[in-house]
């Protein structure tokens, strides 16, 4: 498991609570994507369920339930059952929450505690979130929830109010450089700058070959696109049939580059445009997992939003 230098404060708060008399039953692990929140949740869950004198399995633990995107449909479920690659759903569905809740009527297998990890909790369907809320309101004895979230504002306020929040800070450039080197990746200054503190984003930069896209995004932010040539090139680089992982990597990259430009700008009007563009990209990223966008037009939509950050005279729709 990756050694995360930004987890020290989260571990201190978690272990202080674990050593206390009353451990809170629900935790929100909040921070941008790529900060190791899932790794923390898995390791923290193991500390939670471990008991003196009870041997703990090295592999999958019967008292740790982890939920993420499940199979998309019956065909995908069959492929999963056969151990084959399968297409995942774009959200965490109510049937997954219901299945988890059915397990909660039984006692934990090895000890007195059970941990439920939901990753990412902000991608639960609304019915799934409402169903989970009932468990958070009346948690079974010995059951603890760890909700991994990249965008806490997307969660129901009633869910957030029942959780104790652990916030995960972004990584420094030097930390990112050291972590990339530990993973055998070249600590590319361009990747580090574009990652904006996210190790996951830095790794995706290399894996997805995002350097040409980063240069084009920077040009769109700075100079716009009076025709549609640059946006067409962005669509070509991203790919007409890009999968969800690549689209998400580009969205993360675009948000990071726009945020960096906003911090660097000393022009108030330009800074406002950049902030508005960043907000629009965040909204688009939130819609991406579930919205039925035309795959060929989605990259063009990203480019159009970026053009809006350029000079005021440029129309993003020209």
């Amino acid at each position: 498991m990756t050694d995360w230098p930004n987890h020290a404060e989260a571990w201190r708060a978690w272990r202080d609570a674990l050593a206390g008399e009353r451990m809170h039953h629900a935790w929100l692990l909040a921070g941008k994507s790529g900060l190791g929140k899932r790794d923390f949740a898995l390791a923290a869950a193991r500390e939670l369920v471990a008991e003196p004198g009870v041997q703990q399995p090295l592999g999958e633990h019967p008292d740790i339930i982890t939920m993420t995107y499940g199979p998309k449909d019956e065909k995908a479920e069959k492929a999963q059952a056969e151990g084959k690659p399968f297409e995942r759903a774009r959200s965490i569905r109510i049937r997954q929450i219901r299945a988890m809740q059915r397990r909660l009527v039984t006692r934990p297998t090895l000890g007195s505690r059970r941990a439920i990890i939901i990753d990412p909790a902000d991608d639960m369907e609304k019915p799934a979130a409402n169903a989970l809320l009932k468990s958070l309101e009346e948690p079974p004895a010995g059951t603890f929830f760890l909700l991994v979230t990249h965008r806490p504002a997307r969660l129901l306020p009633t869910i957030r109010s029942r959780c104790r929040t652990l916030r995960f800070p972004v990584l420094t450039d030097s930390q990112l450089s050291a972590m990339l080197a530990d993973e055998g990746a070249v600590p590319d200054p361009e990747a580090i700058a574009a990652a904006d503190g996210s190790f996951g984003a830095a790794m995706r930069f290399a894996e997805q070959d995002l350097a040409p896209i980063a240069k084009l995004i920077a040009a769109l932010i700075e100079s716009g696109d009076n025709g549609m040539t640059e946006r067409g090139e962005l669509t070509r680089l991203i790919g007409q049939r890009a999968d969800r992982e690549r689209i998400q990597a580009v969205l993360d990259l675009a948000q990071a580059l726009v945020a960096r430009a906003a911090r660097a700008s000393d022009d108030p009007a330009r800074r406002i445009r950049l902030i508005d563009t960043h907000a629009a990209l965040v909204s688009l990223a939130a819609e991406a997992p579930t919205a039925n966008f035309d795959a060929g037009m989605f990259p063009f939509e990203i480019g159009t939003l970026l053009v809006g950050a350029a000079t005021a005279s440029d129309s993003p729709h020209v």
Side-chain angles (χ1 to χ4, degrees):
M1 188 174 288
T2 302
D3 182 21
W4 295 93
N6 58 327
H7 287 190
E9 180 58 26
W11 276 120
R12 184 200 62 75
W14 174 262
R15 286 168 177 157
D16 283 351
L18 199 57
E21 293 183 2
R22 296 189 64 183
M23 178 76 167
H24 197 78
H25 73 282
W27 295 73
L28 205 62
L29 312 185
K32 69 187 299 182
S33 177
L35 298 179
K37 300 186 297 297
R38 180 183 176 87
D39 281 0
F40 180 94
L42 291 168
R46 283 194 169 269
E47 288 196 1
L48 176 76
V49 301
E51 294 186 7
V54 180
Q55 186 173 358
Q56 302 295 307
L58 296 178
E60 187 174 340
H61 198 293
D63 294 327
I64 300 175
I65 302 171
T66 302
M67 283 182 291
T68 187
Y69 306 108
K72 178 183 177 180
D73 49 29
E74 290 183 1
K75 181 180 178 182
E77 288 176 357
K78 182 179 179 181
Q80 182 189 38
E82 295 173 351
K84 298 177 181 178
F86 62 93
E87 187 175 356
R88 291 186 179 273
R90 296 181 176 182
S91 60
I92 296 173
R93 297 174 173 175
I94 188 170
R95 67 170 179 262
Q96 294 173 266
I97 301 297
R98 295 295 191 208
M100 174 270 292
Q101 289 171 328
R102 287 193 291 272
R103 292 184 61 177
L104 299 188
V105 302
T106 63
R107 293 180 58 82
T109 302
L110 298 181
S112 61
R113 290 176 168 178
R114 174 188 283 127
I116 312 296
I117 300 171
I118 303 179
D119 175 30
D122 37 52
D123 273 350
M124 284 187 290
E125 293 178 332
K126 188 173 181 179
N130 285 327
L132 175 66
L133 182 58
K134 296 179 180 179
S135 293
L136 295 179
E137 290 172 338
E138 300 178 6
T143 297
F144 298 83
F145 296 87
L146 294 94
L147 310 185
V148 176
T149 175
H150 313 315
R151 299 175 294 274
R154 293 190 65 197
L155 289 170
L156 293 175
T158 43
I159 286 181
R160 296 199 305 268
S161 68
R162 284 163 174 77
C163 297
R164 177 174 172 181
T165 299
L166 291 180
R167 299 195 181 278
F168 291 76
V170 297
L171 295 146
T172 66
D173 287 357
S174 60
Q175 288 171 337
L176 282 174
S177 180
M179 292 177 72
L180 287 168
D182 287 344
E183 292 294 321
V186 177
D188 181 356
E190 192 173 49
I192 291 170
D196 201 29
S198 166
F199 177 63
M203 289 295 292
R204 287 193 297 272
F205 190 93
E207 293 166 355
Q208 295 275 0
D209 188 24
L210 295 182
I213 294 176
K215 291 177 181 177
L216 189 51
I217 287 174
L220 286 167
I221 293 170
E222 182 63 31
S223 305
D225 185 12
N226 287 327
M228 294 187 179
T229 305
E230 301 303 316
R231 277 169 283 183
E233 178 64 7
L234 181 66
T235 298
R236 186 190 70 79
L237 289 173
I238 294 173
Q240 290 276 342
R241 292 289 179 263
D243 60 22
R244 180 169 61 186
E245 286 72 21
R246 184 162 178 80
I247 289 291
Q248 189 59 56
V250 173
L251 283 166
D252 289 345
L253 174 63
Q255 290 173 51
L257 293 177
V258 169
R260 187 174 67 181
R263 291 193 297 268
S265 177
D266 56 6
D267 178 348
R270 174 166 169 74
R271 190 178 301 117
I272 289 172
R273 289 197 303 276
L274 288 161
I275 291 171
D276 288 345
T277 297
H278 188 273
L281 287 166
V282 170
S283 295
L284 188 64
E287 296 171 11
T290 56
N292 188 25
F293 287 107
D294 181 279
M297 289 301 297
F298 199 80
F300 195 86
E301 177 65 16
I302 295 173
T304 296
L305 292 178
L306 293 168
V307 170
T311 58
S313 59
D314 287 333
S315 169
H317 302 291
V318 171

